[in-house]
Amino acid sequence: MSDQDATPTPSPAPPPPSGPPPKVTNRGRSAAPIPSSNSASSDIPDFEFFGVPGPRGLPPLTEYLDITDVDMMRRPNESNKMQHHTMHYHSDQLIVRRGQEFQVKITFNRPYVSTDKIAVEFIIGSSPQFSKGTYIPVFPTKERQSSWAGRITNQSGNEITMGITPAANCIVGKYSMYVAVSTPFGIRRTRRDNSRDLYILFNPWASADAVFLDDETERKECVMNEVGIIYHGAHDDISERNWNYGQFNYGVLDACIYIMDRSEMPITNRGDPIKVTRKASAMLNSHDDDNGVLVGNWSGDYTYGVAPTSWTGSTDILLAYASSKMPVCYAQCWVYAAVFNTFLRCLGIPSRVVTNFFSAHDNDGNLKTDIILKENGAIDRERTRDSVWNYHCWNECYMSRPDLPAGFGGWQVVDATPQETSDGMYRCGPASVQAIKHGQICFPFDAAFVFAEVNSDVVFYSRRKDGTMDPVRVNQTHIGRLVLTKAPGGMTRRDLTDQYKFPEGSTEERTVLEKAEQYGCKREKSNPPPADVDLVLPTLEISVGDDFELSLEFINRSDQRRTVEAYISGSVVFYTGVTSNDFLNESPTVKIDPNKSVKELVTVESKKYMSKLVEQANLNFIVTGKIKETGQIVTAMKVVTLHNPKLIVEVSGGGRVSEEMMASVQFTNPFTFSLEGVYIRMEGPGLMSPKSKYYSMIPGGSSLTWTEFFTPQRTGSTRVIATLDCPALRQVYGQATVTIQP
Amino acid sequence: MSDQDATPTPSPAPPPPSGPPPKVTNRGRSAAPIPSSNSASSDIPDFEFFGVPGPRGLPPLTEYLDITDVDMMRRPNESNKMQHHTMHYHSDQLIVRRGQEFQVKITFNRPYVSTDKIAVEFIIGSSPQFSKGTYIPVFPTKERQSSWAGRITNQSGNEITMGITPAANCIVGKYSMYVAVSTPFGIRRTRRDNSRDLYILFNPWASADAVFLDDETERKECVMNEVGIIYHGAHDDISERNWNYGQFNYGVLDACIYIMDRSEMPITNRGDPIKVTRKASAMLNSHDDDNGVLVGNWSGDYTYGVAPTSWTGSTDILLAYASSKMPVCYAQCWVYAAVFNTFLRCLGIPSRVVTNFFSAHDNDGNLKTDIILKENGAIDRERTRDSVWNYHCWNECYMSRPDLPAGFGGWQVVDATPQETSDGMYRCGPASVQAIKHGQICFPFDAAFVFAEVNSDVVFYSRRKDGTMDPVRVNQTHIGRLVLTKAPGGMTRRDLTDQYKFPEGSTEERTVLEKAEQYGCKREKSNPPPADVDLVLPTLEISVGDDFELSLEFINRSDQRRTVEAYISGSVVFYTGVTSNDFLNESPTVKIDPNKSVKELVTVESKKYMSKLVEQANLNFIVTGKIKETGQIVTAMKVVTLHNPKLIVEVSGGGRVSEEMMASVQFTNPFTFSLEGVYIRMEGPGLMSPKSKYYSMIPGGSSLTWTEFFTPQRTGSTRVIATLDCPALRQVYGQATVTIQP
């Protein structure tokens, strides 16, 4: 056959196979799939032969040790849970913390002697492997030790007590346990038994653990406390939300592990608090159908879920996610932060929710928030697109940072609320608070973003007719006005502002800002001279439905007469600073004598704003103006958070563990109109699980009382927390403090 | 009405509305959606009134300047494209680079005088805004300047030539341009006209640009060169793939911008090469249906797409993605790197593809790759799950790093191949090569990962019967053996290993590894003493189908006789190091006299491996053994890349621009069996667009010739590149170099 004869001729390509392409398999990419599920597990055999058994099978193994019973000592009042600070978890399983010894009792068919070869084996995930830390045998003798220490702490009759110390950096999650006896023919071991499954958590009490926190007051608050207070409102009129973190409630620990499983986080990464917190910051929010825990919604329409303001705690959310395996609707920043806090405390990472008042957001880590004025000095709402959030909540968690140079361990910012402008940044942190304070924002993760949230300037631009803009005023003190968290122990606030920033105007502050600019943060460089007229807006505490007066003070600091053409704009805003509706626009001309001040009174009638209110009932006043004599611009901003009616919560009864008590919620509709589609929710850490009640209508002026019975589960000071929510009125709260005696 | 009468009673909650929940809107979250599409644009009006026009409308505007023509000077041979190095782009639009002046000619209805108020306006994306850099007016006079400089470079009659210099940090993408004249009544401007749209790219020639690269040879290679060579195979038997980057081809620039649009990358981020490269590293791979450009597949089954080894260039891939808006099937590492390279060069970021031989992968940034041996010293394939990639390709791109301390600018690693074990790391970089070399892996982004890819140790563990393991041998020189890229200018290799690492065994190397450990990289600490017997495997160059002999040399460096119980395993592996099939297992016992060496010959017959070969025809030999006298372990590893038959590519004809030429591809099936379902592909930078041909069968021993005509588009040295691909034989390449005269 010659070459020519055999020359193949091209033919049309066959049509591609129809139907969707099959899922691409892993073959050729990696030797085995990476274990990433804690619920998957591979059983290990009851008997592992050494070599092939002979034709007559095994010889009788009667001379070797046999295991008759294993006691995990897992009752809440036994020493394991007491010493490991896990007695509050509502779980039948043993729960311990790494880097600290726990005990198990093993009973054999005869007394254990030192020549017996036994091991207690722990496995986690599928494909357990010694070198990956997913299979850990623990031996009772000093001669033979693995990364987890073992010793016999007691021996009596056929029973021994083994003290086992998991490595302080071991994987956190749910392990299964086996007892194995080595014989010359093979290894004999206990059958898989779910009652011997145990959870190993992070340990802030162990000095070798990366989350070690050497302060018992802080640990009691940031790991053990279920009662939370989350601050909101305005920096000069602070409101509180109560929250039941519920980290010890039945099913919550499993839900937290499920979150990591759902994210396909490799099992081997789960001992590293940096990776766990970073991954969780991404998984807490469900963006673009990635099936995270919570769907964000700031639209005001919560028909298809629960309004963010209506939740009383994390339990409902986490259990719904774990059982439905679907994202839960809906969250805003404090819901993300509160559920994240539950996740962290539940796994043993010390954490707290912090609130930053006037938080720069969505500005891609730059140090500028732009407000555009028209040529006459009035605000140009159409062109002002940046917004300052009245407040924003994130979490701090405590850990060492071996991935960074020394000095950046300690509290770290993590934030589960998705950022909009950022480059796909639906995760944030851990970012060292120390690094943020010192402007060392070149270190991972996302320190520059958090730095901008507390340090941006508000820049007012005057827009010319040709579209160009000149900066006319820079407010360097508005953003990051106050950072708060709940103080450990009590129910009071703790001011963290000095953890994030040096004092305004200090030399250190200037140095830090310069350093941040060296690392690429952009700031407004021009510094227009301050006007010689100051504009001061008062602090107001107003209830929803009240008429009130806004008193603007114009202070002339010059020796000449000044005339200010002022523009006063009042608008209803979301807590994100986004304007919903204008309800007030006035433009008085104010004349001020040299070195004098003038007060301008603006009357705000409730009928003007009531029909326009959105959920958190914030009114935003911006006053801008041009000084006729100098052309300088004056500005002032004020957020007024209208106070909602409150729920009255009352608790009565014995006040003792396991004795029935009663909680009542009372509400009076203070308005002349009816409230429709009303949900009331109530729960209490250690007292009652979440309950809710629906009222189709509450007529104007009418009252209601809802009573529930409950049985306290443990001693100590706690709270009953209640919320009321309906489309016309959100963010109505009430709580009662209860102390339960033994 | 008393309170009691009005007490509302709870009723059952209404059923939730049926149907899927609606898409959550943005309302309340931000004032306006963040502009993130370059194809979206908002027109600006022809006439913008100042104030409201009176009842009789506008006065006649005849006394003001009117625009009669705008000439973008956009032909390839005009000065703009020549000076901006954009003459090769196959596009009718003006394409210029930022930080460098370009010219436009504007004709008016009368001569321009200095009192006329004109501006040339540029806008990009929806909602253009001056303070965001998405609306830029440019003025001809020195008195009035914005961030982009303008001046009149020529004036003659009614015509002026404006020189415009875009800011060196301006947004990169497609702008529309308007000419505006300001009158006391308003602004008159040109209508939107697509022919005045222009692209502004990164500028490695401009010293103020973050991607400035002060080396014309490098710029010619890393920005202007379309012909690529990508290295693969083994470090001691290197093969080449030719690749047509095709960054100037018709539609490629639009496809690159579409990638950023598809990722919803905010327009305002697109001037920052750090953000652009990081985002693109994520978007180049399509993971979990995020609709990135390329679907990875290492399975060997490419029925539903094009086999990764079959592509000849990036053009087909990018155009298919942009037109279908669906991920393209299929890629492996060099395809990701090659298409990423096109993206980078097309936008003007200097870049090159590098190959790292023996690349640690999927090990989560740790410095250990584990190989598990049985107690007898033979490899335990079931438990060895880590793999070392025979080679891995990534990109380097050149830029300053203002976000890091000084000294980390320059070449940066970016990698679009998704990592499997990493914490959701489907993006990687930019990571400073300087930081990697010096162990400063605390700096973003992902430097620790890349550090591990070139610096990990291979650790051999011996597994005991009880499941515990002891490290018995640590190979510190295997991983990151050689890092190569194509040398600028020629067709030769450039060794970049010393850019990534200090010499093996140097003091600097030890210091760097210690620093990396301080930043959390985990290394095997134990250092088992080296055995006194060395095992050496030869370098082999073998063609597919050949029988050959493997000669193992055992060198006894001790003064005693040594006996080695050796295990020789030969397996077919994917280029990822993953084993497909074993084809050889021998276990000779070798006795070596003191200070002597012994050669053990192993015959490898082609019939044993041929039926088991997978696409890149790699054979992996691992020899392990135990020295009887000392219990020490010896190991040796060798990858043999079998050489495939080649395509013969021949080019004939004039060799001049616009004169027809002819390219032929010849192939002879060297095997005794037929090849079925064969695709041959051919293309050439500046010569021909991608073409392919399908042959349903090529009988064993037969030959074929495929001839295509083409017309060269420009002068210079270039290549015709061809591949042949079928399920039974992949990675068959050929190329011919052509020099085109004017």
Side-chain angles (χ1 to χ4, degrees), chain B residues 23-65:
Chain B
K23 181 93 182 149
V24 172
T25 67
N26 222 39
R27 177 170 180 265
R29 175 67 174 77
S30 48
I34 308 298
S36 63
S37 167
N38 197 166
S39 60
S41 66
S42 54
D43 280 351
I44 49 179
D46 294 359
F47 199 91
E48 227 175 290
F49 292 107
F50 297 159
V52 184
R56 275 171 300 176
L58 278 178
L61 294 171
T62 42
E63 63 180 299
Y64 301 102
L65 209 54

Short mmCIF file of all heavy atoms in Angstrom, two decimals, chain B residues 23-65:
data_model
loop_
_atom_site.label_atom_id
_atom_site.label_comp_id
_atom_site.label_asym_id
_atom_site.label_seq_id
_atom_site.Cartn_x
_atom_site.Cartn_y
_atom_site.Cartn_z
N LYS B 23 -36.17 38.81 42.64
CA LYS B 23 -34.80 39.30 42.77
C LYS B 23 -34.82 40.50 43.72
O LYS B 23 -35.62 41.41 43.58
CB LYS B 23 -34.29 39.71 41.38
CG LYS B 23 -32.86 40.23 41.35
CD LYS B 23 -31.85 39.14 41.06
CE LYS B 23 -30.44 39.70 41.09
NZ LYS B 23 -29.46 38.71 41.52
N VAL B 24 -33.92 40.45 44.71
CA VAL B 24 -33.86 41.55 45.67
C VAL B 24 -33.30 42.79 44.99
O VAL B 24 -32.28 42.72 44.31
CB VAL B 24 -32.98 41.14 46.87
CG1 VAL B 24 -32.73 42.33 47.77
CG2 VAL B 24 -33.62 40.01 47.64
N THR B 25 -33.99 43.90 45.14
CA THR B 25 -33.53 45.10 44.46
C THR B 25 -32.51 45.83 45.32
O THR B 25 -32.28 45.48 46.47
CB THR B 25 -34.68 46.07 44.19
OG1 THR B 25 -35.14 46.54 45.46
CG2 THR B 25 -35.81 45.39 43.45
N ASN B 26 -31.93 46.82 44.73
CA ASN B 26 -30.85 47.56 45.35
C ASN B 26 -31.35 48.67 46.27
O ASN B 26 -30.60 49.22 47.04
CB ASN B 26 -30.02 48.20 44.24
CG ASN B 26 -28.55 48.10 44.54
OD1 ASN B 26 -28.11 47.08 45.05
ND2 ASN B 26 -27.82 49.14 44.25
N ARG B 27 -32.63 48.96 46.17
CA ARG B 27 -33.19 50.11 46.87
C ARG B 27 -32.83 50.07 48.35
O ARG B 27 -33.01 49.05 49.00
CB ARG B 27 -34.71 50.10 46.69
CG ARG B 27 -35.41 51.21 47.43
CD ARG B 27 -36.87 51.32 47.05
NE ARG B 27 -37.48 52.41 47.79
CZ ARG B 27 -38.15 52.23 48.94
NH1 ARG B 27 -38.33 51.03 49.42
NH2 ARG B 27 -38.65 53.27 49.59
N GLY B 28 -32.34 51.15 48.88
CA GLY B 28 -32.00 51.21 50.28
C GLY B 28 -30.57 50.80 50.54
O GLY B 28 -30.01 51.11 51.57
N ARG B 29 -29.95 50.08 49.60
CA ARG B 29 -28.59 49.59 49.80
C ARG B 29 -27.57 50.60 49.30
O ARG B 29 -26.54 50.82 49.92
CB ARG B 29 -28.44 48.26 49.05
CG ARG B 29 -27.05 47.67 49.05
CD ARG B 29 -26.67 47.26 50.45
NE ARG B 29 -25.40 46.55 50.48
CZ ARG B 29 -24.22 47.15 50.39
NH1 ARG B 29 -24.16 48.44 50.26
NH2 ARG B 29 -23.12 46.45 50.43
N SER B 30 -27.86 51.18 48.13
CA SER B 30 -26.95 52.19 47.60
C SER B 30 -27.76 53.14 46.72
O SER B 30 -28.81 52.77 46.20
CB SER B 30 -25.79 51.55 46.85
OG SER B 30 -26.26 50.58 45.94
N ALA B 31 -27.24 54.34 46.56
CA ALA B 31 -28.01 55.39 45.89
C ALA B 31 -28.23 55.07 44.41
O ALA B 31 -29.23 55.45 43.82
CB ALA B 31 -27.29 56.72 46.03
N ALA B 32 -27.30 54.36 43.80
CA ALA B 32 -27.43 54.00 42.39
C ALA B 32 -26.60 52.76 42.20
O ALA B 32 -25.62 52.54 42.91
CB ALA B 32 -26.90 55.14 41.51
N PRO B 33 -26.96 51.91 41.22
CA PRO B 33 -26.12 50.75 41.00
C PRO B 33 -24.70 51.20 40.64
O PRO B 33 -24.52 52.24 40.00
CB PRO B 33 -26.77 50.03 39.81
CG PRO B 33 -28.07 50.71 39.57
CD PRO B 33 -28.05 52.03 40.27
N ILE B 34 -23.71 50.43 41.03
CA ILE B 34 -22.33 50.76 40.73
C ILE B 34 -22.08 50.47 39.24
O ILE B 34 -22.32 49.35 38.80
CB ILE B 34 -21.39 49.88 41.57
CG1 ILE B 34 -21.74 49.94 43.05
CG2 ILE B 34 -19.93 50.24 41.32
CD1 ILE B 34 -21.63 51.29 43.67
N PRO B 35 -21.62 51.45 38.46
CA PRO B 35 -21.39 51.16 37.04
C PRO B 35 -20.32 50.07 36.89
O PRO B 35 -19.23 50.18 37.44
CB PRO B 35 -20.88 52.49 36.48
CG PRO B 35 -21.29 53.52 37.46
CD PRO B 35 -21.32 52.83 38.79
N SER B 36 -20.68 49.00 36.22
CA SER B 36 -19.74 47.89 36.09
C SER B 36 -19.79 47.27 34.70
O SER B 36 -19.45 46.13 34.51
CB SER B 36 -20.04 46.82 37.14
OG SER B 36 -21.32 46.28 36.93
N SER B 37 -20.26 48.06 33.73
CA SER B 37 -20.25 47.57 32.37
C SER B 37 -19.72 48.65 31.46
O SER B 37 -20.17 49.79 31.49
CB SER B 37 -21.67 47.17 31.95
OG SER B 37 -21.69 46.97 30.55
N ASN B 38 -18.75 48.27 30.66
CA ASN B 38 -18.18 49.23 29.73
C ASN B 38 -19.03 49.33 28.48
O ASN B 38 -18.92 50.28 27.71
CB ASN B 38 -16.75 48.80 29.38
CG ASN B 38 -15.91 49.91 28.76
OD1 ASN B 38 -14.71 49.80 28.68
ND2 ASN B 38 -16.54 51.01 28.31
N SER B 39 -19.91 48.36 28.26
CA SER B 39 -20.74 48.44 27.06
C SER B 39 -21.97 49.31 27.34
O SER B 39 -22.53 49.91 26.43
CB SER B 39 -21.14 47.05 26.58
OG SER B 39 -21.86 46.39 27.58
N ALA B 40 -22.39 49.36 28.62
CA ALA B 40 -23.48 50.28 28.95
C ALA B 40 -22.95 51.70 28.84
O ALA B 40 -21.81 51.97 29.18
CB ALA B 40 -23.97 50.03 30.38
N SER B 41 -23.75 52.61 28.33
CA SER B 41 -23.32 54.00 28.32
C SER B 41 -24.55 54.87 28.36
O SER B 41 -25.62 54.48 27.93
CB SER B 41 -22.47 54.30 27.09
OG SER B 41 -23.27 54.19 25.93
N SER B 42 -24.39 56.04 28.95
CA SER B 42 -25.53 56.95 28.96
C SER B 42 -25.19 58.10 28.04
O SER B 42 -24.12 58.70 28.15
CB SER B 42 -25.79 57.43 30.38
OG SER B 42 -24.62 57.98 30.91
N ASP B 43 -26.08 58.39 27.11
CA ASP B 43 -25.84 59.51 26.22
C ASP B 43 -25.95 60.81 27.00
O ASP B 43 -26.70 60.92 27.96
CB ASP B 43 -26.88 59.51 25.09
CG ASP B 43 -26.49 58.50 24.03
OD1 ASP B 43 -25.36 57.96 24.11
OD2 ASP B 43 -27.30 58.23 23.13
N ILE B 44 -25.18 61.77 26.57
CA ILE B 44 -25.36 63.08 27.18
C ILE B 44 -26.00 63.98 26.12
O ILE B 44 -25.84 63.75 24.92
CB ILE B 44 -24.04 63.65 27.78
CG1 ILE B 44 -22.87 63.56 26.79
CG2 ILE B 44 -23.69 62.91 29.04
CD1 ILE B 44 -21.58 64.15 27.36
N PRO B 45 -26.78 64.95 26.58
CA PRO B 45 -27.63 65.68 25.61
C PRO B 45 -26.83 66.56 24.64
O PRO B 45 -25.74 67.02 24.95
CB PRO B 45 -28.53 66.52 26.50
CG PRO B 45 -27.78 66.67 27.78
CD PRO B 45 -26.98 65.42 27.94
N ASP B 46 -27.43 66.77 23.45
CA ASP B 46 -26.84 67.66 22.46
C ASP B 46 -26.78 69.09 22.98
O ASP B 46 -25.88 69.85 22.64
CB ASP B 46 -27.70 67.71 21.18
CG ASP B 46 -27.70 66.38 20.48
OD1 ASP B 46 -27.03 65.45 20.98
OD2 ASP B 46 -28.38 66.28 19.47
N PHE B 47 -27.80 69.43 23.77
CA PHE B 47 -27.81 70.78 24.32
C PHE B 47 -28.25 70.72 25.77
O PHE B 47 -29.27 70.13 26.11
CB PHE B 47 -28.75 71.70 23.51
CG PHE B 47 -28.42 73.14 23.75
CD1 PHE B 47 -27.52 73.81 22.94
CD2 PHE B 47 -28.96 73.81 24.85
CE1 PHE B 47 -27.17 75.13 23.21
CE2 PHE B 47 -28.62 75.12 25.12
CZ PHE B 47 -27.73 75.79 24.29
N GLU B 48 -27.41 71.27 26.64
CA GLU B 48 -27.70 71.27 28.07
C GLU B 48 -28.03 72.70 28.46
O GLU B 48 -27.17 73.57 28.42
CB GLU B 48 -26.43 70.82 28.81
CG GLU B 48 -26.64 69.78 29.86
CD GLU B 48 -25.31 69.33 30.43
OE1 GLU B 48 -24.55 68.65 29.71
OE2 GLU B 48 -25.02 69.69 31.57
N PHE B 49 -29.30 72.94 28.83
CA PHE B 49 -29.71 74.31 29.14
C PHE B 49 -29.15 74.74 30.48
O PHE B 49 -29.06 73.94 31.41
CB PHE B 49 -31.24 74.39 29.21
CG PHE B 49 -31.88 74.19 27.88
CD1 PHE B 49 -32.55 73.00 27.60
CD2 PHE B 49 -31.82 75.19 26.91
CE1 PHE B 49 -33.15 72.81 26.37
CE2 PHE B 49 -32.42 74.98 25.68
CZ PHE B 49 -33.09 73.80 25.40
N PHE B 50 -28.76 75.99 30.59
CA PHE B 50 -28.50 76.59 31.91
C PHE B 50 -29.81 77.23 32.32
O PHE B 50 -30.26 78.20 31.71
CB PHE B 50 -27.42 77.66 31.85
CG PHE B 50 -26.08 77.11 31.41
CD1 PHE B 50 -25.12 77.95 30.88
CD2 PHE B 50 -25.78 75.75 31.56
CE1 PHE B 50 -23.88 77.46 30.49
CE2 PHE B 50 -24.54 75.27 31.17
CZ PHE B 50 -23.59 76.12 30.63
N GLY B 51 -30.44 76.71 33.34
CA GLY B 51 -31.76 77.22 33.73
C GLY B 51 -32.80 76.77 32.73
O GLY B 51 -32.55 75.94 31.86
N VAL B 52 -34.01 77.31 32.87
CA VAL B 52 -35.13 76.90 32.02
C VAL B 52 -35.24 77.87 30.84
O VAL B 52 -35.18 79.08 31.04
CB VAL B 52 -36.43 76.92 32.85
CG1 VAL B 52 -37.61 76.41 32.03
CG2 VAL B 52 -36.25 76.08 34.11
N PRO B 53 -35.36 77.38 29.62
CA PRO B 53 -35.50 78.31 28.49
C PRO B 53 -36.81 79.08 28.60
O PRO B 53 -37.80 78.57 29.11
CB PRO B 53 -35.49 77.40 27.26
CG PRO B 53 -35.77 76.02 27.76
CD PRO B 53 -35.39 75.97 29.20
N GLY B 54 -36.80 80.31 28.15
CA GLY B 54 -37.99 81.15 28.22
C GLY B 54 -39.09 80.63 27.30
O GLY B 54 -38.91 79.66 26.57
N PRO B 55 -40.25 81.31 27.33
CA PRO B 55 -41.40 80.85 26.54
C PRO B 55 -41.12 80.88 25.04
O PRO B 55 -41.68 80.08 24.29
CB PRO B 55 -42.51 81.81 26.91
CG PRO B 55 -41.82 83.00 27.52
CD PRO B 55 -40.55 82.51 28.11
N ARG B 56 -40.21 81.73 24.64
CA ARG B 56 -39.93 81.79 23.20
C ARG B 56 -38.75 80.90 22.81
O ARG B 56 -38.18 81.03 21.74
CB ARG B 56 -39.67 83.24 22.79
CG ARG B 56 -40.95 83.99 22.50
CD ARG B 56 -40.68 85.46 22.31
NE ARG B 56 -40.08 86.04 23.52
CZ ARG B 56 -39.66 87.30 23.62
NH1 ARG B 56 -39.77 88.12 22.58
NH2 ARG B 56 -39.14 87.76 24.73
N GLY B 57 -38.35 80.01 23.74
CA GLY B 57 -37.25 79.09 23.45
C GLY B 57 -35.92 79.81 23.46
O GLY B 57 -35.76 80.85 24.09
N LEU B 58 -34.96 79.23 22.76
CA LEU B 58 -33.61 79.75 22.76
C LEU B 58 -33.45 80.92 21.81
O LEU B 58 -34.06 80.94 20.75
CB LEU B 58 -32.65 78.66 22.29
CG LEU B 58 -32.22 77.63 23.33
CD1 LEU B 58 -31.31 76.62 22.66
CD2 LEU B 58 -31.50 78.33 24.48
N PRO B 59 -32.58 81.84 22.16
CA PRO B 59 -32.22 82.86 21.17
C PRO B 59 -31.36 82.19 20.09
O PRO B 59 -30.84 81.11 20.30
CB PRO B 59 -31.40 83.85 21.98
CG PRO B 59 -30.83 83.05 23.11
CD PRO B 59 -31.83 81.97 23.40
N PRO B 60 -31.20 82.79 18.91
CA PRO B 60 -30.35 82.18 17.90
C PRO B 60 -28.91 82.12 18.43
O PRO B 60 -28.45 83.07 19.06
CB PRO B 60 -30.47 83.12 16.71
CG PRO B 60 -31.00 84.39 17.25
CD PRO B 60 -31.78 84.06 18.48
N LEU B 61 -28.25 80.98 18.22
CA LEU B 61 -26.91 80.79 18.78
C LEU B 61 -25.83 80.98 17.72
O LEU B 61 -24.71 80.50 17.86
CB LEU B 61 -26.80 79.40 19.40
CG LEU B 61 -27.69 79.19 20.63
CD1 LEU B 61 -27.69 77.73 21.05
CD2 LEU B 61 -27.24 80.08 21.78
N THR B 62 -26.20 81.71 16.66
CA THR B 62 -25.30 81.82 15.51
C THR B 62 -23.96 82.47 15.85
O THR B 62 -22.95 82.20 15.21
CB THR B 62 -25.95 82.63 14.38
OG1 THR B 62 -26.61 83.74 14.99
CG2 THR B 62 -26.96 81.79 13.63
N GLU B 63 -23.96 83.30 16.91
CA GLU B 63 -22.68 83.96 17.20
C GLU B 63 -21.68 83.03 17.87
O GLU B 63 -20.52 83.34 18.01
CB GLU B 63 -22.90 85.20 18.07
CG GLU B 63 -23.46 84.87 19.43
CD GLU B 63 -23.68 86.13 20.28
OE1 GLU B 63 -22.69 86.82 20.56
OE2 GLU B 63 -24.84 86.41 20.64
N TYR B 64 -22.16 81.85 18.31
CA TYR B 64 -21.25 80.93 19.00
C TYR B 64 -20.73 79.87 18.04
O TYR B 64 -21.37 79.53 17.06
CB TYR B 64 -21.96 80.31 20.21
CG TYR B 64 -22.39 81.38 21.16
CD1 TYR B 64 -23.71 81.81 21.20
CD2 TYR B 64 -21.44 82.05 21.94
CE1 TYR B 64 -24.10 82.84 22.04
CE2 TYR B 64 -21.82 83.09 22.77
CZ TYR B 64 -23.14 83.48 22.82
OH TYR B 64 -23.50 84.52 23.62
N LEU B 65 -19.58 79.35 18.43
CA LEU B 65 -18.88 78.37 17.62
C LEU B 65 -19.77 77.14 17.39
O LEU B 65 -20.47 76.68 18.27
CB LEU B 65 -17.64 77.95 18.42
CG LEU B 65 -16.39 77.50 17.70
CD1 LEU B 65 -15.95 78.53 16.68
CD2 LEU B 65 -15.29 77.28 18.75
#
